[in-house]
Amino acid sequence: MSTIAFIGLGIMGSPMAVHLVKAGHDVAGYNRSPEKTKPLVEAGGRAAASVADAVRGAEVVALMLPDSPDVREVLTGQDGVFAGAAPGTLIIDFSTIRPDVTRELADEAARRGLRYLDAPVSGGEAGARNAALSIMVGGESADFEAARPVFEAVGKTVVHVGPSGSGQTVKAANQLIVAANIEALAEAVVFLRAYGVDLEAALEVLGGGLAGSAVLTQKRDKMLHDSFEPGFRIALHHKDMGIVTSAAREAGVVLPLGALVAQLVAAANASGDGALDHSALLRGVQRLSGQTRP
Amino acid sequence: MSTIAFIGLGIMGSPMAVHLVKAGHDVAGYNRSPEKTKPLVEAGGRAAASVADAVRGAEVVALMLPDSPDVREVLTGQDGVFAGAAPGTLIIDFSTIRPDVTRELADEAARRGLRYLDAPVSGGEAGARNAALSIMVGGESADFEAARPVFEAVGKTVVHVGPSGSGQTVKAANQLIVAANIEALAEAVVFLRAYGVDLEAALEVLGGGLAGSAVLTQKRDKMLHDSFEPGFRIALHHKDMGIVTSAAREAGVVLPLGALVAQLVAAANASGDGALDHSALLRGVQRLSGQTRP
Amino acid sequence: MSTIAFIGLGIMGSPMAVHLVKAGHDVAGYNRSPEKTKPLVEAGGRAAASVADAVRGAEVVALMLPDSPDVREVLTGQDGVFAGAAPGTLIIDFSTIRPDVTRELADEAARRGLRYLDAPVSGGEAGARNAALSIMVGGESADFEAARPVFEAVGKTVVHVGPSGSGQTVKAANQLIVAANIEALAEAVVFLRAYGVDLEAALEVLGGGLAGSAVLTQKRDKMLHDSFEPGFRIALHHKDMGIVTSAAREAGVVLPLGALVAQLVAAANASGDGALDHSALLRGVQRLSGQTRP
Amino acid sequence: MSTIAFIGLGIMGSPMAVHLVKAGHDVAGYNRSPEKTKPLVEAGGRAAASVADAVRGAEVVALMLPDSPDVREVLTGQDGVFAGAAPGTLIIDFSTIRPDVTRELADEAARRGLRYLDAPVSGGEAGARNAALSIMVGGESADFEAARPVFEAVGKTVVHVGPSGSGQTVKAANQLIVAANIEALAEAVVFLRAYGVDLEAALEVLGGGLAGSAVLTQKRDKMLHDSFEPGFRIALHHKDMGIVTSAAREAGVVLPLGALVAQLVAAANASGDGALDHSALLRGVQRLSGQTRP
């Protein structure tokens, strides 16, 4: 049983913090909009008044924040985590941010005698609610082992993938594959509709063979019915495509498909579909093909 | 129990014809290289000396041939299927060819009082050997029902997807999705290796989430070990990408991802990898990123 | 002075035929809509009632037709050019069609004892009116020399680029470069506008350096004022991108940029901009970037 | 006549500083490798021992440096330009760097009472030697007018394109267009060679029409002879494509062509061609098409 500070109680962080309470941990949660602490408090956790307040006395500090600048601010800001955490504190960043920022923050943490794991997740809101997240963890093996009870309270597939930043790198690769698989399926759907094929039957047979994928299984109904409530928002996937393309550039890796998909996600975002589920890439293919749908 | 002519006893056609014999049908097989009839004869089928010989007396004529011109020649050539088949004969074309050629041949068949289904398959050599193919069928519903015993002898997922040509259209979409999913995975692999991530662990966690796919499951070992014995050859996938991109063009459908992937498959083929498994798209990403591997 | 049959008196063919009359040739023109022969007749030429009528007695048969099937029909159809032309007649095809169709028709012409040059043009309607076309000629050198007086009556830059089909190949390359240069300029324009740069000043300085091009000079005003009366229609450029991408595929040449540009031209065509000038590719970039303009 | 500090005397900066001396200015030059000051001193300028030394007493401080971090360091570092320049000093940054960094540095300069123009150039080494550069200038109009004598000593086409950062934005657009025009020409060259066309003749006729461009004129010989001594290096163009693609992302502008070309430039760089002229994008198309050339 650990004392855990949990910073960032949004759509993902809130159920994760609740699961940690249920697993027997002592959790102090902080969120910029304080009303978001309500589910945590109802589950038996504590509401902290500030980051510093949450961090005081914590053995583990967990973060689930939107983007690189947020994580940087919470860690390095005045009254932030680095300023308040006791030596040896284990920081676990569940956020999806830039791998280079992760490495920089992990180095700074090490200089201050703190331990740091990057642990971005996939599985979305449902995964968070059901404690069924996939977690890709970068950092020291010993820290990974120490964090196991935390990970197992919120995730199902938990894998240590390498040194610091590796979790973010794998998450970036995850977002690249997912966006490409969605776009490929979207192009196939527009193609099949243009030829008047029975789309439901076609998706059934496609799903049974080498074209089958989690994307096809989970997104087919949204595409069949042009119904794109999120789910995972295009605006966030657009941010993530920026991470993977710039990380590839820094590493001298060439991603022709990834770069094009990043532009198609950017187009969806620029066209006003940022708040829709990422399966709404279908709408972009429809627009390019001169089709307008409800 | 039907009398079946089976034209084209290659790597796919041969085990399919054998399964039809085992299911109790009377099968006369023809192949340009006559030694390919051996497994069929050993299983209890007959070797035909010519297309005309095979077709004589057949209720069903099945084809499994490499490309559109082959199918056209076997059907419309002198002493071909159209010339020799009795009225009412059911032609089942398992080949993957151009949808417009299929529609043209089906129209011609109808004018001659013949019945015609396009029924391309996915699942590869293993699917053919295990009678576990996915079969996407275009044509009349009544003909589809009549052909069920044949399909069930060789396939597992058998779906009627629409009128004549629809099977080929769905197969084209299948090849688009598969090539894109392979390329996306290949780019992710090169990206992850460049960052020194534990690739096996990364693929495990990727496979457990929304990035999971049949491609990841079936091709990961080939990619991990740079070992690309086919499987499905790049040269054939290159042919198929030509089918889907030109069919999209005819229908006014725009496939930005599909068109780019088609070029990357073409590059793999032009670079001498045509005889390798399509997962060797990985080698193209490695070449673009300046990496040479054994 | 030659007797010339001129088949196809559209926006390009009509002024070309008139220039041939002015250069002293005896020109019999044929067009499917017979009223199009009027300018030719007013200039001193003759109106033919049919292809056969035009071809009778002609030493040279010139064609300027929309697409491959039109040329094939006029040449090989019943009462077509091949049927009616006297042995030794020189056929000059000014149309932009598929190189492989050109080679096939040239072979057939040779078998019939006819001479054949492919001679597609660039320079557009203004080039045709001013007898200032660029002409890229494929075929035998002797035939090219024999045709010089005809070419010089309608063109300014006339170049023999190789054997039969080479003219079409060079024209295909021309269309690839032009579309890519337009799209690159269009993307630059949207980029510059987004940053509030003085666009006229920017285009001036861009035009003075390595970014300068005929496209920038001739299309800048259309792009500055979002005014896209043709010029050269997107629908035709879409046809031509189909020619160059499929010719590249046949030759095993990989065109990543060309394939993507072909999709963007296809998108412009599918989005209802087919009748606009090809500089309206700008509208596609605006749509992708979520901008709507008058 | 002004007193000018010139920081960065490389392949571009050295001849520019010399031209300023010849135009009657008093020029103190600084370069990290001090032997690079030799041509300036021989022309009558002074060699400065440090940035601070050069800046002391200067009315104008000109910079010509490789990349954003270099400019930032020279301006904001200890003993840098901002620390040493007298109020009212006019800073002219000829370097090609990120527009956002330019705006940030210009803001900082303004806070310190300094004036700042971004003035990236095009025209390459030859343009620098011949005082024939195109200069795209961002900043205040009054500062632009004040800097005219400096610009006219080194450039031919000098245009004020907007507020601070606009020069960099236009330069970024320039690099986008140039890379795309080179790639399009390169694809055309490989296509034409594959069809055995007379390439010199083809480039002549292409150059005379709408496919004509400064790229075709200036790079054709390098491409014809596979001879790629720079010129402008691929490694630098790779840096610049990073600038334009990330600036587009920040502005919400979608660049499908630009993003793909950026990957092709990245591939050339990763494949060991970074030190070659950017026309060596041709080698990338040859590699993709399975051609190896000397």
Side-chain angles (χ1 to χ4, degrees):
Chain A
M1 208 212 80
S2 307
T3 305
I4 301 176
F6 204 109
I7 318 292
L9 300 169
I11 216 168
M12 298 291 291
S14 179
M16 292 170 73
V18 167
H19 281 297
L20 289 169
V21 171
K22 289 181 181 163
H25 300 287
D26 171 20
V27 181
Y30 171 75
N31 198 76
R32 214 157 32 180
S33 334
E35 72 277 9
K36 295 282 182 61
T37 55
K38 214 175 143 200
L40 172 63
V41 171
E42 284 172 355
R46 294 176 286 132
S50 65
V51 170
D53 182 27
V55 167
R56 198 168 303 126
E59 296 154 291
V60 171
V61 177
L63 312 178
M64 185 46 124
L65 297 165
D67 203 351
S68 307
D70 309 291
V71 173
R72 191 193 295 277
E73 169 64 20
V74 163
L75 291 181
T76 69
Q78 212 183 354
D79 301 319
V81 174
F82 285 172
T89 301
L90 177 59
I91 300 167
I92 303 175
D93 182 17
F94 290 112
S95 321
T96 293
I97 69 169
R98 290 171 42 187
D100 58 334
V101 173
T102 283
R103 282 188 295 272
E104 174 201 326
L105 293 169
D107 285 352
E108 177 63 17
R111 272 192 295 276
R112 293 166 174 272
L114 304 169
R115 298 182 293 159
Y116 190 104
L117 295 171
D118 51 302
V121 307
S122 86
E125 195 183 342
R129 272 200 312 262
N130 303 326
L133 294 166
S134 290
I135 313 182
M136 28 213 106
V137 187
E140 297 289 330
S141 292
D143 298 337
F144 174 71
E145 291 308 325
R148 255 194 203 285
V150 174
F151 292 143
E152 286 171 358
V154 298
K156 198 173 62 179
T157 310
V158 181
V159 183
H160 182 218
V161 292
S164 191
S166 300
Q168 298 299 350
T169 300
V170 175
K171 180 65 188 289
N174 185 78
Q175 298 303 77
L176 163 64
I177 294 171
V178 169
N181 287 11
I182 293 175
E183 172 68 21
L185 178 60
E187 295 188 4
V189 163
V190 173
F191 175 79
L192 291 167
R193 276 194 178 128
Y195 275 102
V197 164
D198 177 340
L199 189 56
E200 290 210 44
L203 293 180
E204 183 194 339
V205 71
L206 289 170
L210 192 50
S213 66
V215 160
L216 199 158
T217 305
Q218 294 181 37
K219 304 298 182 186
R220 54 165 282 163
D221 283 354
K222 290 180 189 287
M223 289 196 186
L224 276 169
H225 306 301
D226 292 294
S227 150
F228 301 110
E229 66 287 3
F232 187 73
R233 289 185 166 72
I234 281 192
L236 283 171
H237 215 139
H238 174 55
K239 178 205 76 165
D240 293 349
M241 294 309 291
I243 291 173
V244 67
T245 50
S246 76
R249 167 166 284 271
E250 280 154 33
V253 171
V254 179
L255 306 179
L257 193 83
L260 180 59
V261 171
Q263 295 299 308
L264 298 170
V265 176
N269 194 55
S271 301
D273 289 349
L276 300 184
D277 185 68
H278 48 181
S279 54
L281 285 177
L282 177 63
R283 289 166 51 88
V285 184
Q286 290 165 342
R287 278 190 291 263
L288 283 171
S289 298
Q291 302 174 4
T292 45
R293 298 183 73 86
Chain B
M1 210 212 76
S2 307
T3 304
I4 302 176
F6 203 110
I7 318 292
L9 300 169
I11 216 168
M12 298 291 291
S14 179
M16 292 171 73
V18 167
H19 281 297
L20 289 169
V21 170
K22 289 180 180 164
H25 300 286
D26 172 20
V27 181
Y30 172 76
N31 198 75
R32 212 155 32 177
S33 334
E35 71 278 9
K36 295 282 182 61
T37 56
K38 213 175 143 199
L40 173 64
V41 171
E42 285 171 356
R46 295 176 286 132
S50 66
V51 171
D53 181 26
V55 167
R56 198 168 304 123
E59 296 154 291
V60 171
V61 177
L63 312 179
M64 185 47 122
L65 297 164
D67 204 350
S68 307
D70 309 293
V71 173
R72 190 193 296 277
E73 169 64 21
V74 163
L75 290 182
T76 68
Q78 212 182 354
D79 300 321
V81 174
F82 286 172
T89 301
L90 176 59
I91 299 167
I92 304 175
D93 182 17
F94 290 112
S95 321
T96 293
I97 67 168
R98 290 171 41 187
D100 58 333
V101 172
T102 283
R103 282 188 295 273
E104 173 201 326
L105 293 169
D107 286 351
E108 177 63 18
R111 272 192 297 276
R112 290 166 174 272
L114 304 169
R115 299 181 294 159
Y116 191 104
L117 295 171
D118 50 303
V121 307
S122 86
E125 196 183 340
R129 271 200 311 262
N130 303 325
L133 294 166
S134 290
I135 313 182
M136 27 213 107
V137 187
E140 297 290 330
S141 293
D143 298 338
F144 175 71
E145 293 307 327
R148 256 195 203 284
V150 173
F151 291 142
E152 287 171 358
V154 297
K156 197 173 65 179
T157 311
V158 180
V159 183
H160 182 219
V161 292
S164 191
S166 300
Q168 298 298 351
T169 300
V170 175
K171 180 66 188 289
N174 185 79
Q175 297 303 77
L176 162 64
I177 293 172
V178 168
N181 288 11
I182 292 175
E183 173 68 21
L185 179 59
E187 295 189 4
V189 163
V190 173
F191 175 79
L192 291 167
R193 275 193 179 129
Y195 275 101
V197 165
D198 177 340
L199 189 56
E200 289 210 44
L203 294 180
E204 183 195 338
V205 71
L206 289 170
L210 192 50
S213 66
V215 159
L216 199 157
T217 305
Q218 294 181 36
K219 304 297 182 186
R220 54 165 283 164
D221 283 355
K222 290 180 189 287
M223 289 197 186
L224 276 169
H225 306 302
D226 292 294
S227 150
F228 300 110
E229 66 285 6
F232 187 74
R233 288 183 167 73
I234 281 192
L236 283 170
H237 214 140
H238 174 55
K239 177 205 76 168
D240 293 349
M241 293 309 291
I243 291 174
V244 67
T245 50
S246 77
R249 167 167 284 271
E250 278 154 35
V253 170
V254 179
L255 305 180
L257 193 82
L260 180 59
V261 171
Q263 294 299 309
L264 298 170
V265 176
N269 194 55
S271 300
D273 289 350
L276 300 183
D277 185 68
H278 48 179
S279 54
L281 285 177
L282 177 63
R283 289 164 53 87
V285 184
Q286 290 166 342
R287 276 189 292 263
L288 283 172
S289 298
Q291 302 172 4
T292 45
R293 297 184 74 87
Chain C
M1 211 211 78
S2 307
T3 304
I4 302 176
F6 204 109
I7 317 293
L9 300 169
I11 217 168
M12 297 292 292
S14 179
M16 291 171 74
V18 167
H19 281 297
L20 289 170
V21 170
K22 288 182 181 164
H25 300 288
D26 172 21
V27 181
Y30 172 75
N31 199 75
R32 213 155 34 177
S33 334
E35 70 278 10
K36 293 283 182 61
T37 56
K38 213 174 144 201
L40 172 63
V41 171
E42 283 172 356
R46 294 176 287 131
S50 66
V51 169
D53 182 25
V55 167
R56 197 169 304 122
E59 296 154 291
V60 172
V61 177
L63 311 179
M64 185 47 123
L65 296 164
D67 203 350
S68 307
D70 309 292
V71 172
R72 190 193 296 277
E73 169 64 21
V74 162
L75 291 182
T76 67
Q78 209 183 356
D79 301 321
V81 174
F82 285 173
T89 300
L90 176 59
I91 300 167
I92 303 175
D93 182 17
F94 289 111
S95 321
T96 293
I97 68 168
R98 289 172 42 188
D100 58 333
V101 173
T102 284
R103 281 187 296 273
E104 173 200 327
L105 293 169
D107 286 351
E108 176 64 18
R111 271 193 296 276
R112 292 166 174 272
L114 304 171
R115 298 181 293 160
Y116 191 103
L117 295 170
D118 51 303
V121 307
S122 87
E125 194 183 342
R129 271 201 311 264
N130 303 325
L133 293 166
S134 289
I135 313 181
M136 27 212 107
V137 187
E140 298 289 330
S141 292
D143 298 338
F144 174 71
E145 292 307 326
R148 255 195 203 285
V150 173
F151 290 143
E152 286 173 357
V154 297
K156 197 172 64 178
T157 310
V158 181
V159 183
H160 182 219
V161 291
S164 192
S166 300
Q168 298 299 350
T169 301
V170 175
K171 180 66 189 288
N174 185 79
Q175 296 304 77
L176 163 64
I177 294 172
V178 168
N181 288 10
I182 292 174
E183 173 68 21
L185 179 59
E187 295 189 5
V189 163
V190 173
F191 175 79
L192 290 167
R193 275 193 179 130
Y195 275 102
V197 164
D198 177 341
L199 188 56
E200 289 210 43
L203 293 180
E204 183 195 338
V205 70
L206 289 171
L210 193 50
S213 66
V215 159
L216 199 157
T217 305
Q218 294 180 37
K219 304 297 183 185
R220 54 165 283 163
D221 283 355
K222 289 181 190 289
M223 290 198 186
L224 276 169
H225 306 302
D226 292 293
S227 150
F228 300 111
E229 67 285 5
F232 187 74
R233 286 183 168 74
I234 281 190
L236 283 170
H237 214 139
H238 175 55
K239 178 204 75 167
D240 293 349
M241 293 309 291
I243 291 174
V244 67
T245 50
S246 76
R249 167 166 283 271
E250 280 155 33
V253 170
V254 180
L255 305 180
L257 192 83
L260 179 59
V261 171
Q263 294 300 308
L264 297 170
V265 175
N269 194 55
S271 300
D273 289 348
L276 300 184
D277 185 68
H278 47 179
S279 55
L281 284 178
L282 178 62
R283 289 164 53 89
V285 184
Q286 290 166 342
R287 277 189 292 263
L288 283 172
S289 297
Q291 301 172 4
T292 45
R293 300 184 71 87
Chain D
M1 209 212 77
S2 307
T3 304
I4 302 176
F6 204 108
I7 317 293
L9 300 169
I11 216 168
M12 298 292 290
S14 179
M16 292 171 72
V18 167
H19 281 298
L20 289 169
V21 171
K22 289 181 180 163
H25 300 288
D26 173 20
V27 180
Y30 172 76
N31 198 75
R32 212 156 32 178
S33 333
E35 70 279 8
K36 294 282 182 63
T37 56
K38 214 175 142 198
L40 173 63
V41 171
E42 285 172 355
R46 293 176 287 132
S50 66
V51 170
D53 182 26
V55 167
R56 198 168 303 123
E59 297 155 293
V60 171
V61 176
L63 311 179
M64 185 47 123
L65 296 165
D67 203 350
S68 306
D70 309 292
V71 172
R72 190 194 296 276
E73 169 65 20
V74 163
L75 291 181
T76 68
Q78 211 183 354
D79 301 320
V81 174
F82 285 173
T89 300
L90 177 59
I91 299 167
I92 304 174
D93 182 16
F94 290 112
S95 322
T96 293
I97 68 169
R98 290 171 41 185
D100 59 333
V101 173
T102 283
R103 282 188 295 272
E104 174 200 326
L105 294 169
D107 285 352
E108 177 63 19
R111 272 192 297 276
R112 293 167 174 270
L114 304 169
R115 299 181 292 161
Y116 191 105
L117 294 170
D118 51 303
V121 307
S122 87
E125 196 183 340
R129 272 201 311 264
N130 303 325
L133 295 166
S134 290
I135 312 181
M136 28 213 105
V137 187
E140 297 290 330
S141 292
D143 298 338
F144 174 71
E145 292 307 326
R148 256 197 202 283
V150 173
F151 291 142
E152 287 172 357
V154 297
K156 198 172 65 179
T157 310
V158 181
V159 182
H160 182 218
V161 292
S164 192
S166 300
Q168 298 298 351
T169 302
V170 174
K171 180 66 188 288
N174 185 79
Q175 297 304 77
L176 163 64
I177 295 173
V178 169
N181 288 10
I182 292 174
E183 173 68 20
L185 178 59
E187 295 189 3
V189 163
V190 174
F191 176 79
L192 290 167
R193 276 193 178 128
Y195 275 104
V197 164
D198 177 339
L199 188 56
E200 289 210 44
L203 293 180
E204 182 195 337
V205 70
L206 289 170
L210 192 51
S213 66
V215 160
L216 198 156
T217 304
Q218 295 180 36
K219 303 297 183 186
R220 54 166 281 164
D221 283 356
K222 289 180 191 288
M223 290 196 185
L224 276 169
H225 306 303
D226 291 294
S227 150
F228 300 110
E229 66 285 4
F232 187 74
R233 288 185 166 73
I234 280 192
L236 284 170
H237 214 139
H238 175 54
K239 177 205 75 167
D240 293 349
M241 294 308 291
I243 291 174
V244 67
T245 50
S246 77
R249 168 166 282 271
E250 280 154 33
V253 170
V254 180
L255 305 181
L257 192 82
L260 180 59
V261 171
Q263 294 300 308
L264 298 170
V265 176
N269 194 54
S271 300
D273 289 349
L276 300 184
D277 186 68
H278 48 181
S279 54
L281 285 177
L282 177 62
R283 289 164 52 87
V285 184
Q286 290 165 343
R287 277 189 292 263
L288 283 171
S289 298
Q291 303 173 4
T292 43
R293 298 185 73 88

